[in-house]
Amino acid sequence: MDAQGLAGLLGPLRQLVAWAAAGAMIFGGVVPYIPQYRHIRRTQNADGFSPYVCLVLLAANILRILFWFGRHFEAPLLWQSVVMVVTMLLMLKLCTDVRVAGELSARRRCFADLDPHHFWHWSSFGDYVQCVLAFTGVAAYVTYLSIDSALFVETLGFLAVFTEALLGVPQLYRNYQHRSTEGMSIKMVLMWASGDAFKTAYFLLHRAPLQFSVCGLLQVLVDLAILLQAHAYARRPPKPTPHAAHPASAKAL
């Protein structure tokens, strides 16, 4: 095969690889939450999943979408945020329905109460949607007013990816407090670590904004720290807890 024929063969192959990488970037972030969603539906128990995971990811990805208007980046990264927002809303819907169905108290808690003691613990999925819309509206308005400021745009991008990068820190702290990783799925953490490593490599290869690469590396380090905790605490006898642990876990409990 001559050089021209080889180049003609490699061209479509490179395009196919690029499409596969883009697809993995767009949908890879939601894969770890599929077994979590199925587990909650099967058991009708959402105690092993913290709704604050949804809060952090919704805020981070909404800010990332707004960052795109100030500084365009790779389209797959934008669509990744859109897919993650939809996924977290679906997780919230399921968790809220399961939790409310199991509550003995009939007292309704809603977003309009503006009660900080019950923030993000409302009785209806519609209240979560109202909160997300309010946050998006305020953030979008501030972004619109400050879109011409390079400092604001870069800060917005940093806040978006830094918030997501710290998603595993509550889990890390919880493990440290209990000196145990009981109830945490190692398979889930491995999926986070592999996904974060792929995402960081994608950022570096596609020359994404610096904030993406730095915070991607931070995510990988947090995932590795959690895996080290699992290895270290596996040698110790489990600490007794008053409640039964659930096999599925989220990054923040």
Side-chain angles (χ1 to χ4, degrees), residues 52-130:
Y52 288 106
V53 172
C54 300
L55 172 63
V56 171
L57 285 175
L58 283 168
N61 284 280
I62 288 169
L63 291 178
R64 189 198 287 186
I65 292 170
L66 294 175
F67 175 52
W68 182 85
F69 289 96
R71 181 178 176 184
H72 287 7
F73 47 81
E74 287 277 327
L77 300 180
L78 176 64
W79 284 109
Q80 179 198 48
S81 291
V82 174
V83 170
M84 184 61 77
V85 167
V86 174
T87 301
M88 289 300 103
L89 289 175
L90 290 174
M91 289 293 297
L92 268 179
K93 176 71 166 62
L94 176 64
C95 291
T96 304
D97 290 346
V98 169
R99 177 172 52 81
V100 171
E103 282 184 346
L104 299 178
S105 173
R107 185 176 181 276
R108 176 181 170 81
R109 300 185 294 270
C110 60
F111 171 65
D113 294 338
L114 300 178
D115 184 352
H117 297 290
H118 294 119
F119 177 76
W120 212 249
H121 286 285
W122 301 305
S123 303
S124 170
F125 173 66
D127 293 298
Y128 292 95
V129 174
Q130 290 177 36

Side-chain angles (χ1 to χ4, degrees), residues 126-239:
D127 293 298
Y128 292 95
V129 174
Q130 290 177 36
C131 180
V132 170
L133 290 176
F135 173 78
T136 304
V138 172
Y141 181 67
V142 173
T143 302
Y144 174 76
L145 294 178
S146 309
I147 198 69
D148 294 328
S149 169
L151 177 61
F152 172 83
V153 171
E154 295 301 323
T155 302
L156 179 66
F158 176 77
L159 287 175
V161 291
F162 186 69
T163 302
E164 185 177 354
L166 294 181
L167 187 60
V169 172
Q171 179 69 56
L172 189 72
Y173 182 66
R174 175 192 177 276
N175 295 343
Y176 173 76
Q177 277 189 314
H178 293 272
R179 299 295 194 276
S180 170
T181 56
E182 187 177 0
M184 185 189 73
S185 170
I186 302 299
K187 185 185 295 184
M188 289 278 289
V189 180
L190 288 171
M191 291 174 73
W192 297 332
S194 59
D196 290 339
F198 173 82
K199 181 170 62 177
T200 303
Y202 185 93
F203 292 158
L204 294 170
L205 291 174
H206 289 259
R207 297 181 179 178
L210 182 62
Q211 300 99 317
F212 286 68
S213 301
V214 172
C215 292
L217 289 171
L218 178 59
Q219 279 185 285
V220 173
L221 292 176
V222 172
D223 295 337
L224 292 177
I226 294 174
L227 288 173
L228 286 174
Q229 283 183 323
H231 175 71
Y233 296 150
R235 301 180 179 183
R236 303 181 182 183
K239 185 178 179 179

